[in-house]
Amino acid sequence: MNVDTIPDFLAEQRDEAPADLQHLFITFEDLWERKLWHQLTDTLIEFFHHKESAHQRLPFYKTFILTFADKINQLKLVTLALSAATQCRDSQERLSFLESLAKKVDNPNSQDAHVYAIVAVATVKLEMEELEGARKDLDKSEKILDSFDSVETIVHAAFYRVNAEYYQAKLEFASYYRNALLYLACIDLNELTPAERRKRAYDLSIAALVSDTIYNFGELLLHPILDALVKEDAWLRDLLFAFNRGDLAAYDVLAGHISSNPLLEEHKAGLRQKIYLAALTETVFRRPPHDRAMSFKTIAEETKVRPDEIEHLIMKALSLGLLRGSIDQVDEIARINWVQPKVLDMGQIDNMRLRLKEWDSSVNQLGNWIETKGQDVWAA
């Protein structure tokens, strides 16, 4: 667009804007004429943040912003373009718009903005169910991100968010879980609406439960996102904590809710095995290190697993790295020398406190015995 027509364009747009936003248009023209690009960019971002600006964003971007696009921070340019893209008629128009944006910012000095734009392209491809194309864009983005020493958190947040959405669409629960948690680590939870927080917490909890490689929920249990699971979703939070402490009784009480979620219902058998494994590791954890040679009968009593399935259960725990030790198949004894660390609830912490007191008492007794038996040596 001819720069001579910019004042006319701004005047037309000002007349279309709500009364409480019209003062910004005078600022736009003033900053544009004085070539104060940084201040102009920030004022435009402020304008785009207003819901009332929605119908003006796309013409603003195409007619006004593109005239000085090369003079402003390219990451902020992409931010403005993403806001404008929400006003495209359909996904195909939005995809073309964002692909053009990605090419525009593909310069050596603006690779962070390029990644931000590519990730936005991948988002639209996911919406259009073009999973293969989305994966290629995400892999390209990841390769560029790995080459950076540092990058703005909004870029990483966008990458992890879309990566999580891809893995969720592919039902790859462990990868979704990891990327969704990384996304939450890059943002302020207050930026999410209550409904978004609830959905994130719900999806993360389901992924943790049904994944066949996630047996330690510590990072999720400590995350404030779980506070979003209230009222009708409180059972899911309780179920996670039941798994964490290997509480079979609590699991049986909460199992009635499993049918309310298709994924949980589909993985019902896997959930039962997972709670048995959790009960086994908890049984081992409660015992002091010198008392971890356990008979199959003892394990069966504490985990409620049938005696003929105990050996398989222990082998499963050993193969998953939940326990380390050996099995005496002849005498039916499992000798465990290590159990995977995990987040402890108050009951488990109290159990550890009692074990520390027992250890302290044992050390004192040993010291007293040495002092009694070795009097002449100490005197010398």
Side-chain angles (χ1 to χ4, degrees), residues 255-318:
H257 293 281
I258 288 176
S259 59
S260 66
N261 182 278
L263 279 174
L264 291 181
E265 181 66 22
E266 182 184 339
H267 292 81
K268 199 170 184 177
L271 289 173
R272 175 61 68 173
Q273 184 180 65
K274 188 176 279 194
I275 192 65
Y276 284 153
L277 287 166
L280 172 61
T281 56
E282 180 63 19
T283 297
V284 175
F285 179 79
R286 285 199 303 265
R287 290 172 172 263
H290 61 270
D291 186 27
R292 289 182 174 171
M294 305 167 62
S295 67
F296 287 10
K297 181 181 178 182
T298 299
I299 295 173
E301 290 172 351
E302 299 211 22
T303 62
K304 313 303 181 190
V305 176
R306 294 206 312 263
D308 61 325
E309 295 181 354
I310 292 299
E311 184 177 345
H312 178 266
L313 181 69
I314 299 169
M315 291 176 66
K316 182 75 173 178
L318 291 171

Side-chain angles (χ1 to χ4, degrees), residues 174 339 356 378:
V339 60
L356 285 171
W378 301 129

Side-chain angles (χ1 to χ4, degrees), residues 58-337:
L58 206 53
F60 239 86
Y61 177 82
K62 292 180 176 179
T63 306
F64 181 47
I65 295 174
L66 283 180
T67 62
F68 54 87
D70 296 336
K71 299 179 176 67
I72 66 175
N73 180 291
Q74 297 297 279
L75 198 55
K76 290 184 178 181
L77 172 65
V78 175
T79 300
L80 290 166
L82 295 184
S83 293
T86 61
Q87 303 308 303
C88 291
R89 289 190 306 273
D90 52 40
S91 296
Q92 189 58 56
E93 181 184 343
R94 186 157 52 254
L95 179 61
S96 299
F97 177 85
L98 292 174
E99 286 178 336
S100 174
L101 171 68
K103 290 178 182 177
K104 183 173 184 59
V105 295
D106 186 9
N107 301 305
N109 296 326
S110 58
Q111 286 298 288
D112 54 346
H114 182 51
V115 169
Y116 200 21
I118 293 175
V119 169
V121 170
T123 301
V124 180
K125 288 182 178 178
L126 284 178
E127 293 173 2
M128 300 172 69
E129 298 184 355
E130 295 181 16
L131 299 185
E132 186 176 345
R135 185 67 262 163
K136 289 179 180 177
D137 289 334
L138 289 168
D139 287 343
K140 180 181 179 181
S141 299
E142 186 172 23
K143 185 176 180 180
I144 298 172
L145 283 172
D146 288 343
S147 69
F148 291 151
D149 292 327
S150 63
V151 68
E152 292 285 344
T153 54
I154 59 169
V155 180
H156 266 135
F159 172 75
Y160 290 131
R161 174 180 55 78
V162 181
N163 218 24
E165 290 171 0
Y166 169 82
Y167 286 121
Q168 188 174 30
K170 295 284 286 184
L171 299 181
E172 296 182 21
F173 303 111
S175 296
Y176 164 77
Y177 179 83
R178 183 174 63 256
N179 280 275
L181 283 174
L182 286 169
Y183 164 66
L184 292 177
C186 293
I187 66 168
D188 181 351
L189 285 184
N190 293 324
E191 296 174 5
L192 303 178
T193 65
E196 289 172 333
R197 288 198 294 271
R198 181 259 173 195
K199 187 178 187 307
R200 286 283 170 191
Y202 189 91
D203 290 347
L204 271 166
S205 300
I206 297 298
L209 289 168
V210 303
S211 169
D212 58 2
T213 59
I214 300 173
Y215 291 87
N216 190 333
F217 310 146
E219 194 171 359
L220 178 58
L221 295 178
L222 290 173
H223 203 289
I225 194 69
L226 274 192
D227 294 338
L229 293 179
V230 294
K231 296 181 181 179
E232 68 271 15
D233 299 324
W235 66 271
L236 190 54
R237 178 192 176 102
D238 294 340
L239 188 60
L240 284 172
F241 279 94
F243 269 89
N244 187 61
R245 61 179 183 270
D247 191 336
L248 285 161
Y251 174 81
D252 289 336
V253 169
L254 295 165
H257 293 281
I258 288 176
S259 59
S260 66
N261 182 278
L263 279 174
L264 291 181
E265 181 66 22
E266 182 184 339
H267 292 81
K268 199 170 184 177
L271 289 173
R272 175 61 68 173
Q273 184 180 65
K274 188 176 279 194
I275 192 65
Y276 284 153
L277 287 166
L280 172 61
T281 56
E282 180 63 19
T283 297
V284 175
F285 179 79
R286 285 199 303 265
R287 290 172 172 263
H290 61 270
D291 186 27
R292 289 182 174 171
M294 305 167 62
S295 67
F296 287 10
K297 181 181 178 182
T298 299
I299 295 173
E301 290 172 351
E302 299 211 22
T303 62
K304 313 303 181 190
V305 176
R306 294 206 312 263
D308 61 325
E309 295 181 354
I310 292 299
E311 184 177 345
H312 178 266
L313 181 69
I314 299 169
M315 291 176 66
K316 182 75 173 178
L318 291 171
S319 67
L320 291 169
L322 304 177
L323 302 174
R324 292 177 191 164
S326 59
I327 301 175
D328 186 332
Q329 294 173 306
V330 177
D331 294 332
E332 295 191 335
I333 292 175
R335 295 182 174 85
I336 309 301
N337 52 44

